[in-house]
Amino acid sequence: MPPKPPYRGVAAAATAAVLLAACSSGSDSGSAGSSGGTAKVAAVIKGLDNPFFQSMEQGIKDQGTAAGITPTVQAANSITDTTGQADRLTALAGQDFTCYIVNPISGTNLVQGIAQLAAQKKTIVNIDSPVDAGAAKAASATPATYIGTNNEAAGEKAGQHMTTLVPGNAKVAAIGGIAGDVTSGARVDGFTKATSGKLQLVQTVAANWERQEALTQATNIMQAHPDLAGFFVANDDMGLGVAQAVANAGRTGKIHIISVDGNKDALTAVKSGGLDATVAQYPYAIGLMGMEACQAAAAGKTLPADVEAPVELVTKDNADKALASTPKPFGTYDDPFKALIGG
């Protein structure tokens, strides 16, 4: 979910011939495997109590089924279980998997385990939340590829749409997640960039990714700014809290709300008019491409260092299409791994 880091492919010593126990060495720098291999994949992701990561797991497993591979997927107990997630990766690192998909809770909590994998010449595929580039470099553990959403671009897309919904110079507010969170900050920054000079951003607050807190914050903002025209909200769960606050104030349809993520409840709310739009990202596609990256590495292909996952603006006009397709994107998107695996 955070912005894309400037990763580059891991060095040959950390990536050559890693996806078969019996494969040969000698691939070029940046190559992530040896030709003709079959991946044996383990994935460590965030908590499966969240539908976002359930969808990510589904993408990993569905692509595994299509490829005749059964990946092992383990998850943290919760979004704050940094130590437990790290322990899971360490345990898996001691097994004979050849490609590891990692979705870290923080930028650094999996670095020690990733360094252990790099020392064993295993392929590391980083999805969704980036490993801290500096910490990874210091540990000689830079992943072979990163696949994730450009969150600033997602915020920009929301801001551009907001300018079509409200009058010029109208007052809007932004509700972010946890103060200092990279994902939240990037989304709000993107929204601010897109609306600068066009709308008045009168207040930005943090609601800790919590629906009830967002409801409370939105209520307070509406009281402080009775002429408010719109809310940008950094995720759908908070967006639904804001929608409830707006409904409680009797202002549904008068105060416009755009959030980010594209979960099913939000898509339904867009269809019914509770939300004006959501910028949908697709954890299913992120997980699927992570699995494809392992397949490509097994075939001796050089992995692209940085792959942007698809996002789509969902409004009432296309909400039915988005709902019918979920958890998959309803439009086309670039997937460089398909060409690498001959898909």
Side-chain angles (χ1 to χ4, degrees):
M1 299 174 342
K4 307 176 295 175
Y7 285 148
R8 296 295 179 265
V10 291
T15 58
V18 297
L19 293 177
L20 274 179
C23 63
S24 62
S25 62
S27 60
D28 295 335
S29 178
S31 177
S34 144
S35 181
T38 300
K40 184 173 182 182
V41 181
V44 177
I45 64 176
K46 297 180 187 177
L48 292 175
D49 55 335
N50 187 314
F52 186 93
F53 303 110
Q54 293 170 11
S55 181
M56 181 181 290
E57 179 189 42
Q58 184 181 347
I60 293 169
K61 289 186 172 180
D62 283 358
Q63 181 57 28
T65 298
I69 300 168
T70 302
T72 294
V73 183
Q74 294 192 10
N77 289 327
S78 71
I79 197 65
T80 60
D81 182 28
T82 54
T83 301
Q85 189 190 42
D87 288 344
R88 283 168 173 75
L89 181 60
T90 299
L92 289 168
Q95 300 179 40
D96 64 344
F97 297 102
T98 53
C99 185
Y100 289 77
I101 301 169
V102 295
N103 169 222
I105 290 173
S106 76
T108 58
N109 77 299
L110 297 185
V111 168
Q112 184 174 352
I114 291 170
Q116 184 179 345
L117 297 175
Q120 297 174 34
K121 299 180 172 54
K122 303 297 178 74
T123 296
I124 304 154
V125 174
N126 182 196
I127 63 172
D128 181 42
S129 297
V131 177
D132 181 87
K137 183 176 180 181
S140 299
T142 300
T145 187
Y146 170 77
I147 306 160
T149 301
N150 183 329
N151 285 286
E152 185 169 338
E156 284 190 52
K157 193 178 288 285
Q160 290 162 359
H161 189 60
M162 184 67 81
T163 64
T164 71
L165 299 176
V166 303
N169 209 39
K171 293 182 179 180
V172 295
I175 296 182
I178 297 169
D181 180 84
V182 174
T183 299
S184 175
R187 293 177 182 179
V188 173
D189 285 350
F191 178 81
T192 302
K193 179 179 177 181
T195 57
S196 179
K198 301 174 183 177
L199 305 176
Q200 295 183 59
L201 182 57
V202 295
Q203 197 166 351
T204 300
V205 299
N208 301 314
W209 303 119
E210 294 179 359
R211 186 181 301 200
Q212 185 60 44
E213 179 65 15
L215 188 158
T216 300
Q217 293 282 10
T219 300
N220 293 340
I221 291 170
M222 286 187 291
Q223 290 172 350
H225 302 280
D227 54 348
L228 192 80
F231 282 103
F232 169 67
V233 194
N235 83 346
D236 283 342
D237 198 41
M238 294 190 299
L240 293 169
V242 172
Q244 185 60 57
V246 170
N248 291 347
R251 302 185 70 184
T252 299
K254 298 176 182 178
I255 295 181
H256 299 281
I257 308 163
I258 303 175
S259 57
V260 180
D261 270 350
N263 69 40
K264 192 170 184 178
D265 286 346
L267 298 178
T268 301
V270 171
K271 180 178 178 179
S272 67
L275 294 174
D276 289 88
T278 180
V279 181
Q281 56 175 341
Y282 290 95
Y284 179 93
I286 292 171
L288 181 149
M289 286 195 286
M291 190 69 197
E292 289 177 333
C294 286
Q295 293 175 249
K301 305 296 185 179
T302 298
L303 302 183
D306 199 352
V307 176
E308 192 168 308
V311 294
E312 296 173 331
L313 179 70
V314 180
T315 66
K316 198 164 188 174
D317 290 341
N318 58 13
D320 281 330
K321 186 183 292 186
L323 279 163
S325 183
T326 192
K328 301 176 183 179
F330 60 85
T332 59
Y333 64 96
D334 292 333
D335 179 354
F337 302 108
K338 282 199 180 300
L340 294 178
I341 62 175

